[in-house]
Amino acid sequence: MRKLWFTFGAIVFFLTVAIFFPFYTIAFIIFGKRAVRPLVWCSHKVVSRIVLGFMLIRMRVHGRELIDNQRNYVLVGNHQALIDILLYAVATPFSFKFLAKKELTKLPFFGYVVQRFCIVIDRKNAASRKESFKNMKQALAEGFSIFIAPEGTRNQMDQPLQKFYAGAFRLAIETQKPLLVLTLTHSGELNNPRKKMDLSPGVVDCYFDVPIETEGLTLEDVPELEAQVRGVMLGHLM
């Protein structure tokens, strides 16, 4: 039944993206880059909600009142399941740009969206990593928030968290932007990362904590900042 539900969820996801695809294309043709911000909002608050609704996946969001929607953040979250991307988008009260793996650009329809709404990175290519870091800084300067999964990929281990990459913490410090930590619990139970086709209806808890200010910090503070974020996440996962 879980494999059947995964198949149903995948069909809903790609069908929903395909339905919105012509509107996105027309908006880009007419408005160019000016269409990015409203279309990102539509993807996060409309498309993602529709897909999760059909999957019968509900969320309980905690700590949303701690967020100042007038600021932009470097947003970090733990990552277990494929559905996490939808959960991040719906749970967060503002829209943002994802740091996305290059492989996602190859998916039909969705790849088009990723290329235009996300900052794409090829983790195996040093030049790509450098360029993506530059693009994230530019997006923050333009008023966007940036979402990065510091684990880099889905956690398929027994431990609640994998080793963190330093990029998110370097970015927050170099731009002096606050870090906003989002922790998801139970998403891996609904969409097991160890199985290729696995999905079940259910409830995911999403926890926001008090934003961590980085003003005055230097790159020497990266390890301490990383440890602080890990401690916040583990506080909800353990």
Side-chain angles (χ1 to χ4, degrees):
M1 290 301 296
R2 293 176 71 101
K3 288 185 177 180
L4 287 174
W5 197 252
F6 177 90
T7 302
F8 168 75
I11 291 172
V12 167
F13 175 78
F14 285 108
L15 184 59
T16 304
V17 174
I19 289 171
F20 279 83
F21 180 80
F23 300 100
Y24 285 12
T25 304
I26 292 170
F28 273 117
I29 291 173
I30 297 175
F31 300 106
K33 289 185 177 181
R34 288 177 297 168
V36 171
R37 198 177 294 270
L39 291 181
V40 168
W41 183 92
C42 179
S43 296
H44 289 188
K45 308 309 176 189
V46 179
V47 175
S48 296
R49 285 183 186 276
I50 291 172
V51 175
L52 287 176
F54 274 103
M55 291 179 178
L56 301 182
I57 294 175
R58 296 182 295 110
M59 292 185 300
R60 291 189 292 251
V61 182
H62 313 269
R64 190 179 279 167
E65 70 280 359
L66 301 172
I67 301 171
D68 181 356
N69 291 331
Q70 302 306 310
R71 305 180 73 184
N72 60 329
Y73 299 89
V74 175
L75 178 61
V76 292
N78 62 312
H79 188 20
Q80 275 195 311
L82 290 171
I83 59 172
D84 287 349
I85 295 175
L86 301 171
L87 296 167
Y88 300 143
V90 174
T92 307
F94 51 81
S95 54
F96 51 85
K97 286 191 173 184
F98 280 104
L99 178 64
K101 295 184 294 184
K102 181 182 178 181
E103 291 78 5
L104 293 177
T105 63
K106 299 177 183 179
L107 295 173
F109 300 114
F110 185 64
Y112 176 89
V113 175
V114 169
Q115 286 180 315
R116 284 155 180 79
F117 296 168
C118 302
I119 295 172
V120 178
I121 181 173
D122 181 356
R123 294 191 183 275
K124 299 178 182 179
N125 186 301
S128 174
R129 294 196 300 270
K130 184 176 181 180
E131 183 67 18
S132 66
F133 198 81
K134 175 183 175 182
N135 291 338
M136 286 189 289
K137 281 187 171 182
Q138 180 61 34
L140 285 166
E142 293 172 355
F144 284 99
S145 291
I146 299 294
F147 185 96
I148 303 175
E151 294 173 279
T153 186
R154 285 181 296 152
N155 181 7
Q156 302 181 39
M157 305 171 65
D158 292 331
Q159 295 89 343
L161 291 172
Q162 299 181 100
K163 179 182 177 181
F164 283 174
Y165 290 92
F169 312 104
R170 285 184 54 232
L171 179 66
I173 288 174
E174 290 190 17
T175 58
Q176 297 288 279
K177 295 295 183 180
L179 269 169
L180 181 60
V181 183
L182 170 57
T183 309
L184 302 180
T185 62
H186 314 304
S187 68
E189 297 171 16
L190 303 184
N191 181 204
N192 192 325
R194 299 183 185 91
K195 297 180 180 179
K196 291 185 177 181
M197 296 179 64
D198 181 81
L199 186 64
S200 172
V203 180
V204 176
D205 283 290
C206 310
Y207 295 91
F208 288 104
D209 284 272
V210 176
I212 301 172
E213 300 295 338
T214 61
E215 187 174 352
L217 298 184
T218 68
L219 292 180
E220 294 182 356
D221 298 303
V222 165
E224 182 178 346
L225 188 59
E226 179 182 325
Q228 185 177 357
V229 170
R230 178 176 287 272
V232 169
M233 290 184 180
L234 289 176
H236 298 294
L237 295 170
M238 300 293 287

mmCIF file of all heavy atoms in Angstrom, residues 207-227:
data_model
loop_
_atom_site.group_PDB
_atom_site.id
_atom_site.type_symbol
_atom_site.label_atom_id
_atom_site.label_comp_id
_atom_site.label_asym_id
_atom_site.label_seq_id
_atom_site.Cartn_x
_atom_site.Cartn_y
_atom_site.Cartn_z
ATOM 1 N N TYR A 207 9.392 22.578 13.483
ATOM 2 C CA TYR A 207 9.773 23.448 14.594
ATOM 3 C C TYR A 207 10.698 24.567 14.115
ATOM 4 O O TYR A 207 11.763 24.300 13.551
ATOM 5 C CB TYR A 207 10.489 22.655 15.683
ATOM 6 C CG TYR A 207 9.630 21.621 16.366
ATOM 7 C CD1 TYR A 207 9.579 20.307 15.896
ATOM 8 C CD2 TYR A 207 8.881 21.941 17.490
ATOM 9 C CE1 TYR A 207 8.797 19.350 16.528
ATOM 10 C CE2 TYR A 207 8.095 20.994 18.134
ATOM 11 C CZ TYR A 207 8.062 19.705 17.643
ATOM 12 O OH TYR A 207 7.289 18.759 18.270
ATOM 13 N N PHE A 208 10.296 25.813 14.362
ATOM 14 C CA PHE A 208 11.186 26.957 14.194
ATOM 15 C C PHE A 208 11.700 27.366 15.574
ATOM 16 O O PHE A 208 10.954 27.335 16.558
ATOM 17 C CB PHE A 208 10.451 28.150 13.568
ATOM 18 C CG PHE A 208 10.129 27.979 12.111
ATOM 19 C CD1 PHE A 208 8.846 27.673 11.707
ATOM 20 C CD2 PHE A 208 11.113 28.128 11.149
ATOM 21 C CE1 PHE A 208 8.538 27.513 10.362
ATOM 22 C CE2 PHE A 208 10.816 27.972 9.802
ATOM 23 C CZ PHE A 208 9.523 27.667 9.409
ATOM 24 N N ASP A 209 12.960 27.758 15.623
ATOM 25 C CA ASP A 209 13.527 28.256 16.870
ATOM 26 C C ASP A 209 13.931 29.717 16.698
ATOM 27 O O ASP A 209 13.933 30.249 15.577
ATOM 28 C CB ASP A 209 14.730 27.404 17.271
ATOM 29 C CG ASP A 209 14.308 26.061 17.843
ATOM 30 O OD1 ASP A 209 14.077 25.986 19.059
ATOM 31 O OD2 ASP A 209 14.174 25.090 17.066
ATOM 32 N N VAL A 210 14.259 30.359 17.802
ATOM 33 C CA VAL A 210 14.653 31.769 17.763
ATOM 34 C C VAL A 210 15.818 31.935 16.788
ATOM 35 O O VAL A 210 16.811 31.189 16.865
ATOM 36 C CB VAL A 210 15.073 32.253 19.163
ATOM 37 C CG1 VAL A 210 15.578 33.692 19.102
ATOM 38 C CG2 VAL A 210 13.904 32.135 20.142
ATOM 39 N N PRO A 211 15.718 32.851 15.831
ATOM 40 C CA PRO A 211 16.811 33.045 14.867
ATOM 41 C C PRO A 211 18.139 33.318 15.572
ATOM 42 O O PRO A 211 18.190 33.977 16.619
ATOM 43 C CB PRO A 211 16.349 34.264 14.059
ATOM 44 C CG PRO A 211 14.857 34.232 14.159
ATOM 45 C CD PRO A 211 14.562 33.735 15.543
ATOM 46 N N ILE A 212 19.203 32.797 14.999
ATOM 47 C CA ILE A 212 20.541 32.961 15.563
ATOM 48 C C ILE A 212 21.231 34.111 14.841
ATOM 49 O O ILE A 212 21.473 34.040 13.635
ATOM 50 C CB ILE A 212 21.356 31.664 15.408
ATOM 51 C CG1 ILE A 212 20.648 30.501 16.111
ATOM 52 C CG2 ILE A 212 22.768 31.854 15.962
ATOM 53 C CD1 ILE A 212 21.291 29.155 15.836
ATOM 54 N N GLU A 213 21.537 35.158 15.554
ATOM 55 C CA GLU A 213 22.174 36.329 14.952
ATOM 56 C C GLU A 213 23.649 36.033 14.661
ATOM 57 O O GLU A 213 24.325 35.333 15.413
ATOM 58 C CB GLU A 213 22.064 37.535 15.874
ATOM 59 C CG GLU A 213 20.628 37.950 16.190
ATOM 60 C CD GLU A 213 19.856 38.447 14.971
ATOM 61 O OE1 GLU A 213 20.524 38.864 13.983
ATOM 62 O OE2 GLU A 213 18.622 38.426 14.996
ATOM 63 N N THR A 214 24.131 36.570 13.563
ATOM 64 C CA THR A 214 25.534 36.356 13.177
ATOM 65 C C THR A 214 26.319 37.668 13.117
ATOM 66 O O THR A 214 27.496 37.658 12.759
ATOM 67 C CB THR A 214 25.621 35.673 11.803
ATOM 68 O OG1 THR A 214 25.013 36.518 10.811
ATOM 69 C CG2 THR A 214 24.912 34.323 11.830
ATOM 70 N N GLU A 215 25.668 38.753 13.456
ATOM 71 C CA GLU A 215 26.339 40.054 13.399
ATOM 72 C C GLU A 215 27.563 40.050 14.305
ATOM 73 O O GLU A 215 27.479 39.703 15.484
ATOM 74 C CB GLU A 215 25.379 41.169 13.814
ATOM 75 C CG GLU A 215 25.948 42.561 13.612
ATOM 76 C CD GLU A 215 24.928 43.644 13.896
ATOM 77 O OE1 GLU A 215 23.742 43.312 14.097
ATOM 78 O OE2 GLU A 215 25.316 44.830 13.916
ATOM 79 N N GLY A 216 28.698 40.420 13.740
ATOM 80 C CA GLY A 216 29.938 40.472 14.510
ATOM 81 C C GLY A 216 30.727 39.177 14.494
ATOM 82 O O GLY A 216 31.897 39.148 14.927
ATOM 83 N N LEU A 217 30.146 38.084 13.996
ATOM 84 C CA LEU A 217 30.862 36.822 13.933
ATOM 85 C C LEU A 217 31.825 36.813 12.746
ATOM 86 O O LEU A 217 31.623 37.513 11.757
ATOM 87 C CB LEU A 217 29.887 35.648 13.804
ATOM 88 C CG LEU A 217 28.900 35.420 14.943
ATOM 89 C CD1 LEU A 217 28.071 34.157 14.687
ATOM 90 C CD2 LEU A 217 29.602 35.318 16.284
ATOM 91 N N THR A 218 32.866 36.013 12.848
ATOM 92 C CA THR A 218 33.825 35.835 11.757
ATOM 93 C C THR A 218 33.864 34.352 11.371
ATOM 94 O O THR A 218 33.246 33.512 12.028
ATOM 95 C CB THR A 218 35.236 36.286 12.180
ATOM 96 O OG1 THR A 218 35.742 35.372 13.179
ATOM 97 C CG2 THR A 218 35.197 37.702 12.772
ATOM 98 N N LEU A 219 34.608 34.050 10.319
ATOM 99 C CA LEU A 219 34.678 32.667 9.858
ATOM 100 C C LEU A 219 35.288 31.738 10.904
ATOM 101 O O LEU A 219 35.086 30.521 10.847
ATOM 102 C CB LEU A 219 35.466 32.592 8.552
ATOM 103 C CG LEU A 219 34.792 33.248 7.339
ATOM 104 C CD1 LEU A 219 35.665 33.111 6.096
ATOM 105 C CD2 LEU A 219 33.421 32.638 7.076
ATOM 106 N N GLU A 220 36.012 32.284 11.854
ATOM 107 C CA GLU A 220 36.543 31.462 12.934
ATOM 108 C C GLU A 220 35.426 30.908 13.820
ATOM 109 O O GLU A 220 35.630 29.930 14.549
ATOM 110 C CB GLU A 220 37.525 32.281 13.780
ATOM 111 C CG GLU A 220 38.795 32.682 13.043
ATOM 112 C CD GLU A 220 39.755 33.447 13.937
ATOM 113 O OE1 GLU A 220 39.375 33.725 15.103
ATOM 114 O OE2 GLU A 220 40.869 33.758 13.486
ATOM 115 N N ASP A 221 34.242 31.539 13.749
ATOM 116 C CA ASP A 221 33.110 31.106 14.564
ATOM 117 C C ASP A 221 32.259 30.043 13.888
ATOM 118 O O ASP A 221 31.257 29.596 14.464
ATOM 119 C CB ASP A 221 32.222 32.317 14.899
ATOM 120 C CG ASP A 221 32.950 33.372 15.718
ATOM 121 O OD1 ASP A 221 33.448 33.016 16.799
ATOM 122 O OD2 ASP A 221 33.021 34.533 15.264
ATOM 123 N N VAL A 222 32.633 29.620 12.671
ATOM 124 C CA VAL A 222 31.839 28.618 11.950
ATOM 125 C C VAL A 222 31.636 27.340 12.751
ATOM 126 O O VAL A 222 30.507 26.846 12.874
ATOM 127 C CB VAL A 222 32.456 28.319 10.564
ATOM 128 C CG1 VAL A 222 31.862 27.042 9.973
ATOM 129 C CG2 VAL A 222 32.217 29.486 9.610
ATOM 130 N N PRO A 223 32.691 26.734 13.321
ATOM 131 C CA PRO A 223 32.477 25.485 14.077
ATOM 132 C C PRO A 223 31.509 25.653 15.248
ATOM 133 O O PRO A 223 30.667 24.784 15.496
ATOM 134 C CB PRO A 223 33.887 25.130 14.570
ATOM 135 C CG PRO A 223 34.805 25.785 13.591
ATOM 136 C CD PRO A 223 34.127 27.074 13.231
ATOM 137 N N GLU A 224 31.605 26.765 15.952
ATOM 138 C CA GLU A 224 30.709 26.997 17.082
ATOM 139 C C GLU A 224 29.273 27.198 16.608
ATOM 140 O O GLU A 224 28.326 26.693 17.225
ATOM 141 C CB GLU A 224 31.175 28.224 17.874
ATOM 142 C CG GLU A 224 30.338 28.516 19.108
ATOM 143 C CD GLU A 224 30.842 29.709 19.900
ATOM 144 O OE1 GLU A 224 31.983 30.143 19.658
ATOM 145 O OE2 GLU A 224 30.095 30.201 20.766
ATOM 146 N N LEU A 225 29.100 27.919 15.508
ATOM 147 C CA LEU A 225 27.763 28.156 14.959
ATOM 148 C C LEU A 225 27.158 26.843 14.473
ATOM 149 O O LEU A 225 25.974 26.563 14.697
ATOM 150 C CB LEU A 225 27.852 29.161 13.806
ATOM 151 C CG LEU A 225 26.546 29.685 13.224
ATOM 152 C CD1 LEU A 225 25.716 30.391 14.282
ATOM 153 C CD2 LEU A 225 26.825 30.636 12.060
ATOM 154 N N GLU A 226 27.964 26.026 13.827
ATOM 155 C CA GLU A 226 27.515 24.721 13.364
ATOM 156 C C GLU A 226 27.076 23.850 14.532
ATOM 157 O O GLU A 226 26.020 23.191 14.482
ATOM 158 C CB GLU A 226 28.655 24.043 12.603
ATOM 159 C CG GLU A 226 28.331 22.667 12.082
ATOM 160 C CD GLU A 226 29.514 22.035 11.369
ATOM 161 O OE1 GLU A 226 30.276 22.779 10.713
ATOM 162 O OE2 GLU A 226 29.674 20.801 11.476
ATOM 163 N N ALA A 227 27.858 23.861 15.603
ATOM 164 C CA ALA A 227 27.515 23.061 16.787
ATOM 165 C C ALA A 227 26.237 23.566 17.432
ATOM 166 O O ALA A 227 25.413 22.769 17.921
ATOM 167 C CB ALA A 227 28.672 23.108 17.782
#
